[in-house]
């Protein structure tokens, strides 16, 4: 059915539909309009000269280098023709504002950057006469530099370091960046000695081949782990169970031992400390009571935990079965391993565009002259200030949209795999088919789901910004309130993310709108709440162990490869880079695995709810899940037989103990 006829189906078929319809079309149109607005912001910065000022640079009088300029009212030396002056030169490039992260020096447009050091004003004059590039303010004549009294304020600070132009942004940058050491120390706060920073950077440069190799190793380990995790998941799950049970028992035993030991010690030493003050005796009693409370609480917690383990052992087995099937999914759908690359590439391209437009906005607006320095800057004023907020919201919404597209694509492919009985008849490219369905029918659903996440994330980010700005200034109550709001919004965001992911899977199955899919998925999840808890708790920990395994393996390989460097300080930064990259890669790949497990569970819950294995209602599930269902049914039959026998015994016992009817007597 076409996009205009998006009527909802009242009856849920719960299987991938061939006859699909567009979902949440108004939200797709709204998202399209929003993206057009983002493009208009970029067009505005280009049309008003902000992009040109960023790329070509501008001087402190508002003139863009390399162009003919229009005069600016109230700004002297504006409106100059700089077509022969293409580079920005700073009179004092080392005068850096640490807080604002900008150079406070006077900037000029010059035709050539000084390639050699100049120590006197005669050198400045010679450079100007030979190259035609005047390095002092425009109103000063080059041949008069040595004798002008203004030379101390309007000429470069001596000595002038050699510099070269940046490839794209046409700024004259000193070749020796030692004057930026102060800025580097402010950014890298943990480095107090410049020699340490130089040694760390030298270690990275010397080990760049090893770093690249270790990053590729982490990538390979992540891809391999997604396939073999189904073979080791059972071991990891039972190791986790044993650690939790033994840890809780050990902790409870230690607390009871401390309480008993403290009580015995008090009873033993009581006759010898009869003269202790009442305050000391009260303190000793408080300690004993506190240990008793801790031990009792730990005992209650351990008992509850053991009962949960007892009742949820079947659901732990379901988690193992789902991991086993998820490994098969990656074997049948190998293109799933490319999803992190595609998503990262899309996010990277968008982030580069977003940062570029943000920089354009920084040089767009009306010229304003600083009263303190007299330098001219361009700032957005009035209603134009809201362009930055619009652009910031676009960062969150479009980023969430890209991530949601990944979730919908993976969900569509996994749904196709699950509901295809004969795996040999799977489409040639289930991933590409899922992408095409997403683009043709469900972009509106993805836009709506990502917008809901944006509504929660933007306020949380704003509160975090306010909290950082008020750090050390607000009172304890306000700080606690801000942290509470941030924590609540974070929890709400995580819950909505999980619900959205299942809503996308329901949309991939039934081609329903976001709200309908979210409601249907929520009902299924509530009906299987204990299973959901077990899968999330056990599954998340297993995946976390997988991330730890990849990071530690990569770090161990890094230590072996870096062993030839005897300066152990040079190991630090390369190992940190490798560990961060390996964790990022492992997180990206295992997040795909987690999505696959969650979608498989939703399909399994739907399958067991609407099918029972009888003719006409055959299961769609894999053999491993079928074995889990059969074992659960056998256990249920055993329990039911036991209950029926107990009931029969109670009934027969009641019949034997029934009193004789009145009026009867023995012979």
């Amino acid at each position: 059915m076409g996009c205009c006829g998006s009527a909802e189906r009242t009856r849920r078929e719960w299987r991938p539909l061939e006859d699909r319809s567009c979902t949440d079309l108004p939200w797709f149109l709204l998202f399209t309009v929003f993206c057009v607005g983002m493009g208009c912001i970029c067009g505005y910065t280009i049309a008003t000269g902000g992009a040109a000022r960023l790329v070509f640079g501008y001087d402190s009088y508002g003139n863009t280098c390399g162009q003919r300029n229009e005069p600016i009212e109230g700004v002297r030396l504006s409106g100059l023709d700089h077509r022969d002056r293409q580079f920005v030169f700073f009179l004092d490039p080392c005068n850096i504002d640490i807080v604002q992260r900008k150079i406070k020096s006077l900037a000029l447009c010059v035709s050539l950057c000084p390639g050699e050091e100049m120590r006197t004003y005669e050198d400045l004059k010679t450079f100007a006469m030979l190259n035609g590039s005047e390095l002092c303010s425009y109103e000063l004549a080059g041949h008069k530099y040595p004798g002008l009294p203004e030379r101390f304020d309007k000429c470069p600070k001596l000595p002038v370091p050699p510099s070269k132009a940046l490839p794209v942004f046409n700024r004259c940058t000193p070749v020796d960046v030692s004057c930026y050491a102060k800025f580097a120390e402010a950014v890298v706060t943990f480095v107090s000695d410049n020699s340490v920073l130089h040694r760390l950077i030298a270690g990275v440069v010397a080990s760049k081949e090893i770093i690249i190799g270790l990053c590729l190793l982490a990538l390979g380990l992540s891809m391999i782990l997604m396939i073999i995790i189904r073979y080791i998941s059972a071991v990891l799950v039972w190791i986790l169970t044993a650690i939790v049970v033994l840890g809780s028992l050990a902790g409870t035993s230690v607390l009871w031992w401390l309480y008993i030991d403290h009580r015995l010690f008090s009873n033993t030493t009581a006759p010898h400390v009869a003269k202790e003050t009442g305050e000391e005796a009260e303190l000793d009693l408080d300690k004993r009571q506190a240990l008793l409370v801790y031990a009792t609480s730990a005992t209650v917690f351990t008992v509850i935990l053991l009962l949960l383990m007892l009742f949820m052992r079947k659901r732990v087995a379901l988690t193992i079965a789902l991991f086993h099937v998820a490994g098969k999914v990656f074997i049948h759908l190998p293109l799933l391993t490319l999803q992190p690359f595609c998503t990262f590439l899309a996010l990277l391209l968008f982030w580069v565009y977003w940062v570029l437009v943000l920089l354009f906005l920084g040089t767009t607006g009306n010229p304003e002259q600083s009263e303190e320095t007299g330098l001219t800057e361009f700032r957005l004023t009035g209603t134009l200030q809201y362009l930055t907020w619009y652009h910031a919201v676009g960062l969150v919404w479009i980023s969430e949209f890209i991530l949601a597209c990944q979730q919908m694509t993976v969900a569509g492919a996994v749904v196709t795999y699950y509901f295809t009985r004969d795996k040999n008849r799977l489409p040639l490219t289930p991933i590409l088919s899922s992408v095409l369905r997403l683009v043709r029918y469900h972009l509106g659903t993805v836009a709506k789901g990502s917008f809901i996440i944006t509504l929660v994330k933007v306020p949380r980010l704003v509160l975090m910004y306010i909290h950082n700005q008020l750090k050390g200034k607000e009172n304890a109550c306000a700080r606690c309130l801000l942290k509470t709001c941030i924590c609540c919004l974070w929890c709400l965001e995580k819950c909505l993310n999980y619900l959205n992911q299942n809503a996308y899977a329901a949309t991939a199955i039934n081609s329903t709108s976001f709200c309908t899919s979210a409601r249907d998925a929520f009902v299924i999840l509530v009906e299987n709440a204990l299973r959901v808890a077990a899968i999330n708790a056990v599954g998340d920990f297993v995946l976390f162990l997988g991330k730890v395994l990849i990071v530690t393996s990569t770090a161990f390989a890094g230590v072996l490869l870096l062993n030839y460097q005897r300066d152990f300080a040079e190991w630090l930064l390369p190992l940190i880079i490798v560990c961060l990259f390996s964790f990022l890669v492992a997180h990206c790949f295992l997040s795909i695995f987690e999505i696959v497990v969650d979608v498989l569970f939703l399909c399994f819950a739907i399958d067991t709810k609407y099918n029972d294995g009888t003719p006409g209602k055959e299961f769609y599930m894999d053999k491993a899940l079928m074995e889990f269902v059969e074992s659960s049914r056998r256990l249920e039959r055993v329990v039911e037989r036991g209950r029926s026998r107990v009931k029969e015994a109670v009934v027969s016992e009641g019949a034997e103990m029934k009193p004789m009817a009145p009026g009867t007597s023995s012979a």
Side-chain angles (χ1 to χ4, degrees), residues 98 101 180-201 204 572-573 576:
I98 301 297
R101 297 176 296 277
Y180 296 150
K182 182 179 179 182
F183 181 72
E185 289 178 22
V187 175
V188 190
T189 55
F190 65 90
V191 177
S192 57
D193 184 7
N194 287 336
S195 62
V196 176
L197 179 62
H198 292 315
R199 289 166 61 193
L200 292 176
I201 295 176
V204 173
L572 179 62
L573 199 53
I576 290 176

Side-chain angles (χ1 to χ4, degrees), residues 583-621:
F583 181 82
L584 177 64
V585 170
H587 176 73
C588 292
F589 278 90
L590 294 181
S591 294
I592 297 294
F593 192 91
E594 184 179 4
I595 294 173
V596 171
V597 171
D598 289 338
V599 175
L600 283 174
F601 171 71
L602 184 67
C603 295
F604 170 78
I606 293 169
D607 198 8
T608 54
K609 180 178 180 179
Y610 292 94
N611 299 310
D612 55 10
T614 59
K617 289 187 176 182
E618 294 85 358
F619 288 121
Y620 288 93
M621 63 186 67

Side-chain angles (χ1 to χ4, degrees), residues 331-406:
I331 294 177
H332 286 88
L333 309 178
L335 289 181
L336 277 177
T337 56
L338 298 180
Q339 279 299 301
F341 295 105
C342 298
T343 304
F344 177 75
L345 180 61
L347 286 173
L348 182 63
L349 292 175
F350 170 67
W351 289 342
V352 169
Y353 165 81
W354 187 87
V355 171
L356 196 61
V357 175
L358 183 65
L359 294 175
F360 289 169
L361 286 171
T363 55
T364 302
N366 300 318
E368 293 183 358
Q369 200 165 15
S370 173
E371 297 179 358
E372 179 183 355
T373 61
L375 307 181
T376 301
E377 297 288 344
F378 291 86
R379 292 185 176 88
L380 295 172
T381 57
T383 57
L384 294 178
Q385 294 178 345
Y386 295 106
L387 293 179
T388 305
W389 285 101
Y390 188 98
H391 195 60
V393 173
L395 170 67
V396 179
W397 192 2
I398 297 179
S399 298
E400 291 296 330
F401 177 83
I402 294 173
L403 294 174
C405 286
Q406 172 186 266

Side-chain angles (χ1 to χ4, degrees), residues 15-33:
R15 66 184 62 186
L17 302 177
E18 299 297 331
D19 181 23
R20 290 183 171 266
S21 60
C22 287
T23 54
D24 298 295
L25 183 60
W27 282 93
F28 170 70
L29 297 177
L30 177 63
F31 182 75
T32 303
V33 171

